[in-house]
Amino acid sequence: MSETVTGYIDHIIFRNEENGYTVMVVKNSENEEELTCVGSFPAVSQGTTIQASGIYTHHPVYGKQFQISSFVEKIPEDTYAMERYLGSGAIKGIGAALAARIVRRFGEDTIRIVEEEPERLAEVKGISEKKAREIAAQVTEKTEMRKAMIFLQKYGISLNLGAKIYQKYKDSLYTVLQENPYRLAEDISGVGFKIADEIAARIGIHADSDYRIRSGMLYTLLQASGEGHTYLPKDQLFARCAKLLGVDESYMEKHLMDMLLDRKLVMQEKKGEKIIYPSQYYYLELNTARMLCELNICCPEDENIVEKRIASIEKETGTVLDEMQKKAVTEAAGHGLFILTGGPGTGKTTTINAIIRFFEGEGAELRLAAPTGRAAKRMTEATGYEAQTIHRLLELNGMPEDDRSTGAVHFERNAQNPLEADVIIIDEMSMVDIHLMHSLLLAITAGTRLILVGDENQLPSVGPGNVLRDIIHSGCFPVIELTKIFRQASESDIVVNAHKINRGEPVEINNKSRDFFFLKRYDADMIIRVVIALIQDKLPRYVNARPFEIQVLTPMRKGLLGVERLNQMLQRYLNPQDGSKKEKTLGDRLFRQGDKVMQIKNDYQMEWEVRGRYGIPVEKGIGVFNGDTGILREINEFAETAEVEFEDGRFATYSFKQLEELELAYAITIHKSQGSEYPAVILPVLSGPQMLLNRNLLYTAVTRARKCVTVVGSEETFAEMIRNEKQQKRYSALDERIRELNESIKKGEE
């Protein structure tokens, strides 16, 4: 139940200037009793008298506090309160002595003089006319902000959000809110369409308002980008938008034309169908296509010399390359852009190593990278050549761009400061989205060779776009697909079955295999018991790994065998509660010291360090990314922080508020496993949405295992997944943009 307190701000303990979050001590004016108050308080100052509403809370370290939900500043009512307010530092340039002189001069009329006739302050000794004008400007700013906060609170806008709105618009906020509150969704971080729509409804904006429909269209396309799309077919956009706004689709056409004219949207045609992009995604695809075409330079090498050098590499390494692998080395040597693709066991790593040795023989400077830390580590181990994440290759500096809608971030390596390399090889390209591809290409100059490696049958990137598949399907660049399964790989049923799944062929589940097992169970709780037994007892010895290295992969988040339920059960058995382990509850999540955790969003600001002997930092950097996995090493209640050690040896410290970026990772979705490899994978399959139980997902899950796959569940569901070719349609058209540019280049050459 909300309560009210009145008093003056004695002193401020802590203040975050970005969001206005403040911890301060408020004193009761009558009995001087102190109370610690917390909340977001824009432009409040020491000495200000406030009347605040909120609730009392108890902090485990700092004790009793008052959590303020709303407040109003009260005008000081007596000369003592006026002197205290003016002398508190609330107004720059007025200290305690000067405040006393002002109050002596004007008495109980002081506050009115300061607010309405500040030029009269020059009557006080020590205040010049210039200083009086400066004081007037400060007072006006504070008065305007106070009025703005009162105005915004009428519409249910929180103090924190109100502060952001005022800082963005100043005096024009009244016009913005009355005419087009949907601008908030475009201009202010943390405000989505739904918040803007709630504000608009309170203000009285009509459901069929022009601004509402336009904002709804942009929001619909932004939501679609979160599903991986760079555009939507026009009919789908209209249908989704009409459902969101509760208006008829007939309203959309006029507004679409207006937004096309304003260049907020771009309309193209694909296979006779009108498609609509948010303009930033159209230009991301167009510029990515342009830069790819610019890199696609033919660099012919003497075939005899190339053959001799390949033979020399085979002799030095003791490997024998098949015809397609030799052709891949030749194509890489003869082109500025080259794509190598193929499934597991087809010799991609051997081919990459041969390409590396070929260019090393030319004295070329090479750089290797992959989208995730785990994939980069695997690349390093496979090639013996240092690989790093694409973000580290591009030298992420952690500052998001002003236009948050682009999803882009600042990299030190860009068009003005390109990468210094002769050859750049990127592995696990199926994981690279359109944003990251665009940033990578900006940092590569024409003349640098770019080699892209990946398996197009893996799941597409989490972010928008279908980059690898579109580049291959454009038909405009040299591509070598490796299909032959090599003898050593053909002895692994993981590899053989992965290829069968990809071709839609049935898989034998007779358990005569050494690395592919199927345990038939038809009850969710029984499946979970089997999974726990496998992790705790059977598999660690079989694959020579720790229980935490064995990964449970599941198609879905919800349900009896979804990530959320599995993690709760697995945490209970794999990291049980005991008196020595600290815990922290955040909403419906319980974190315990020793838990296996995963970062679930890109945090470009998060600082990390690698530690040497005695815990001394030997390397520091920024950026923790979606899919990074580690162990929760420490929970510090006093500092309200938690420390995570990631698999690649980086340590990052999270505030308790930032723990929402983490979730338990004993079980993860197959989508989140992209680019990773585990000693053993356990795959529970029973039932679920047909869209999630498909071939593409099963293929990705099986290819994550290095030594052993164990499927636990229904053989009929497993067989249905192999038969089900349907996968969620992803709308992207990088291939179209590439073909268009390629055609115009050819015409220009003619």
Side-chain angles (χ1 to χ4, degrees):
M1 185 173 155
S2 184
E3 299 190 53
T4 303
V5 299
T6 303
Y8 68 90
I9 300 168
D10 183 68
H11 61 278
I12 291 171
I13 298 170
F14 168 79
R15 180 169 175 79
N16 182 326
E17 293 300 336
E18 284 185 19
N19 58 24
Y21 180 77
T22 307
V23 181
M24 62 191 184
V25 172
V26 173
K27 277 190 178 180
N28 185 305
S29 304
E30 294 175 6
N31 58 20
E32 294 290 300
E33 186 180 331
E34 293 187 352
L35 177 65
T36 301
C37 296
V38 297
S40 291
F41 316 113
V44 292
S45 308
Q46 199 170 306
T48 305
T49 300
I50 63 169
Q51 185 177 65
S53 299
I55 56 170
Y56 286 98
T57 61
H58 189 274
H59 190 280
V61 176
Y62 304 111
K64 182 181 177 183
Q65 294 183 339
F66 190 71
Q67 178 80 44
I68 295 178
S69 56
S70 65
F71 77 97
V72 291
E73 286 188 32
K74 294 183 73 68
I75 296 171
E77 293 172 351
D78 56 47
T79 54
Y80 174 70
M82 291 176 191
E83 188 176 325
R84 183 180 61 220
Y85 169 68
L86 291 175
S88 67
I91 299 172
K92 200 183 294 182
I94 300 180
L98 191 52
R101 290 206 296 276
I102 293 170
V103 174
R104 271 201 306 272
R105 174 73 182 82
F106 299 112
E108 291 185 359
D109 208 23
T110 298
I111 296 301
R112 188 193 67 77
I113 294 291
V114 169
E115 291 189 345
E116 296 176 16
E117 299 180 75
E119 67 279 358
R120 286 190 59 193
L121 292 172
E123 296 172 18
V124 177
K125 187 181 177 184
I127 300 181
S128 64
E129 286 185 18
K130 182 185 175 188
K131 190 167 188 175
R133 285 195 299 272
E134 288 171 356
I135 291 168
Q138 286 185 65
V139 170
T140 302
E141 170 77 8
K142 286 178 181 293
T143 305
E144 287 303 320
M145 185 163 193
R146 187 161 57 241
K147 285 179 186 171
M149 299 313 291
I150 292 167
F151 172 79
L152 294 170
Q153 282 180 43
K154 281 197 303 185
Y155 297 113
I157 296 170
S158 69
L159 295 169
N160 189 4
L161 179 55
K164 285 184 179 179
I165 293 171
Y166 181 77
Q167 284 159 10
K168 175 69 181 175
Y169 301 119
K170 299 292 185 188
D171 294 347
S172 62
L173 73 86
Y174 305 99
T175 308
V176 169
L177 284 176
Q178 296 290 359
E179 290 184 1
N180 180 16
Y182 296 98
R183 270 186 61 188
L184 272 60
E186 295 178 45
D187 295 343
I188 298 174
S189 176
V191 180
F193 171 81
K194 293 198 171 173
I195 292 175
D197 203 31
E198 285 172 16
I199 294 168
R202 291 191 199 111
I203 287 170
I205 302 287
H206 291 296
D208 60 355
S209 141
D210 292 358
Y211 294 125
R212 183 170 187 259
I213 292 172
R214 290 177 198 176
S215 185
M217 275 196 201
L218 279 174
Y219 175 75
T220 300
L221 288 166
L222 190 65
Q223 290 295 98
S225 73
E227 298 164 23
H229 308 303
T230 59
Y231 70 83
L232 281 178
K234 180 181 161 186
D235 293 347
Q236 268 205 45
L237 170 63
F238 281 14
R240 284 194 189 196
C241 194
K243 186 178 178 183
L244 169 76
L245 300 175
V247 299
D248 193 82
E249 287 184 39
S250 59
Y251 282 94
M252 308 293 164
E253 193 72 47
K254 169 191 174 297
H255 296 295
L256 173 62
M257 290 303 119
D258 289 343
M259 293 176 81
L260 292 172
L261 288 170
D262 289 344
R263 299 189 177 182
K264 290 196 170 177
L265 303 180
V266 173
M267 184 161 68
Q268 292 284 305
E269 197 166 291
K270 185 175 182 182
K271 296 177 182 174
E273 181 180 47
K274 295 275 194 301
I275 64 173
I276 312 297
Y277 286 92
S279 59
Q280 67 266 27
Y281 280 107
Y282 173 73
Y283 289 109
L284 272 173
E285 281 195 347
L286 187 64
N287 288 326
T288 297
R290 176 184 55 77
M291 291 186 284
L292 285 166
C293 290
E294 285 172 359
L295 288 177
N296 189 29
I297 300 166
C298 197
C299 326
E301 297 253 0
D302 186 298
E303 283 187 26
N304 290 327
I305 293 173
V306 173
E307 281 178 20
K308 284 178 183 175
R309 291 188 53 197
I310 291 172
S312 174
I313 290 165
E314 288 179 309
K315 189 176 179 182
E316 286 169 18
T317 58
T319 55
V320 178
L321 303 178
D322 74 359
E323 285 309 306
M324 290 305 287
Q325 289 176 311
K326 287 177 182 175
K327 191 174 179 187
V329 178
T330 305
E331 292 286 288
H335 293 88
L337 177 65
F338 169 66
I339 299 96
L340 177 67
T341 185
T346 56
K348 288 198 303 290
T349 299
T350 303
T351 309
I352 293 169
N353 283 330
I355 290 169
I356 288 170
R357 286 187 171 270
F358 183 92
F359 286 117
E360 271 189 323
E362 289 192 339
E365 185 177 343
L366 287 95
R367 302 291 293 274
L368 275 60
T372 66
R374 192 191 277 261
K377 187 179 177 186
R378 281 173 51 210
M379 197 179 186
T380 300
E381 289 166 355
T383 63
Y385 211 98
E386 187 194 354
Q388 55 193 151
T389 64
I390 299 172
H391 285 89
R392 291 179 80 177
L393 176 75
L394 297 178
E395 298 173 23
L396 171 75
N397 70 10
M399 295 298 292
E401 291 192 1
D402 293 336
D403 184 2
R404 62 194 173 90
S405 61
T406 66
V409 291
H410 281 302
F411 292 105
E412 293 294 335
R413 294 292 182 172
N414 49 42
Q416 288 71 46
N417 182 28
L419 290 163
E420 293 158 10
D422 300 307
V423 181
I424 295 170
I425 304 176
I426 308 292
D427 199 7
E428 293 289 356
M429 267 299 300
S430 60
M431 297 179 67
V432 176
D433 66 20
I434 192 70
H435 292 296
L436 191 54
M437 190 65 190
H438 186 264
S439 295
L440 174 68
L441 292 170
L442 281 174
I444 300 175
T445 53
T448 299
R449 282 183 169 85
L450 177 61
I451 297 166
L452 307 176
V453 184
D455 180 353
E456 69 163 309
N457 293 309
Q458 296 287 346
L459 289 167
S461 57
V462 174
N466 211 346
V467 173
L468 178 64
R469 192 168 294 182
D470 281 355
I471 291 172
I472 292 170
H473 289 193
S474 73
C476 295
F477 307 117
V479 178
I480 293 292
E481 182 181 7
L482 302 177
T483 54
K484 177 185 172 185
I485 302 174
F486 284 84
R487 186 182 61 80
Q488 192 174 351
S490 68
E491 294 171 6
S492 163
D493 285 318
I494 295 173
V495 172
V496 171
N497 289 340
H499 284 274
K500 283 184 176 179
I501 290 165
N502 194 39
R503 293 192 297 266
E505 297 171 6
V507 169
E508 282 190 45
I509 50 174
N510 55 19
N511 285 339
K512 292 180 180 178
S513 169
R514 288 178 300 175
D515 61 4
F516 198 101
F517 304 101
F518 201 110
L519 306 179
K520 297 175 186 177
R521 302 290 188 278
Y522 308 100
D523 174 76
D525 289 338
M526 176 57 74
I527 289 172
I528 292 173
R529 283 199 287 275
V530 171
V531 168
I532 290 166
L534 286 168
I535 296 173
Q536 284 186 316
D537 184 38
K538 302 283 194 297
L539 286 175
R541 284 175 296 171
Y542 190 73
V543 297
N544 190 27
R546 294 170 297 159
F548 273 27
E549 293 176 292
I550 293 160
Q551 189 62 57
V552 180
L553 300 179
T554 178
M556 60 215 103
R557 292 196 58 80
K558 306 284 184 186
L560 294 174
L561 292 174
V563 163
E564 291 171 10
R565 183 166 187 252
L566 281 168
N567 272 320
Q568 288 178 352
M569 303 289 283
L570 293 169
Q571 182 190 45
R572 192 183 305 166
Y573 286 94
L574 300 179
N575 188 29
Q577 183 180 28
D578 69 44
S580 67
K581 296 175 187 171
K582 291 180 182 173
E583 297 180 350
K584 173 63 183 172
T585 302
L586 191 78
D588 58 353
R589 296 182 202 172
L590 169 69
F591 292 105
R592 184 176 293 139
Q593 226 167 313
D595 272 336
K596 183 177 180 181
V597 293
M598 172 181 275
Q599 177 81 8
I600 57 171
K601 60 179 280 192
N602 288 340
D603 187 331
Y604 301 105
Q605 310 288 354
M606 179 72 75
E607 297 178 356
W608 52 260
E609 62 184 32
V610 176
R611 296 171 186 170
R613 289 183 67 187
Y614 312 114
I616 297 168
V618 294
E619 184 185 354
K620 291 188 176 185
I622 49 174
V624 178
F625 303 106
N626 191 350
D628 286 355
T629 309
I631 303 294
L632 186 56
R633 293 295 184 200
E634 185 183 351
I635 294 174
N636 187 326
E637 281 286 353
F638 181 76
E640 296 193 349
T641 58
E643 185 175 79
V644 175
E645 180 184 3
F646 290 102
E647 288 175 325
D648 54 7
R650 294 175 299 149
F651 285 82
T653 300
Y654 290 72
S655 68
F656 279 175
K657 192 176 178 183
Q658 289 172 308
L659 287 177
E660 64 188 21
E661 296 182 10
L662 293 175
E663 67 181 19
L664 297 177
Y666 301 100
I668 63 174
T669 61
I670 297 167
H671 272 96
K672 292 282 188 186
S673 72
Q674 284 175 275
S676 299
E677 191 178 77
Y678 311 97
V681 161
I682 302 173
L683 185 62
V685 293
L686 191 59
S687 60
Q690 190 184 32
M691 190 57 75
L692 289 177
L693 298 176
N694 63 49
R695 182 187 300 175
N696 190 220
L697 213 64
L698 182 60
Y699 174 77
T700 299
V702 168
T703 55
R704 299 306 91 207
R706 193 162 58 244
K707 295 180 180 178
C708 179
V709 170
T710 307
V711 184
V712 187
S714 159
E715 70 272 33
E716 180 48 45
T717 302
F718 181 75
E720 181 53 38
M721 287 182 82
I722 296 172
R723 289 193 293 269
N724 182 12
E725 286 187 85
K726 292 179 185 173
Q727 51 183 295
Q728 191 171 357
K729 172 74 177 167
R730 180 166 285 214
Y731 295 113
S732 66
L734 178 62
D735 52 348
E736 293 279 327
R737 307 283 82 79
I738 291 168
R739 281 193 286 268
E740 286 168 4
L741 280 167
N742 206 49
E743 283 300 312
S744 65
I745 289 167
K746 282 180 180 174
K747 284 178 183 173
E749 287 172 354
E750 289 170 7

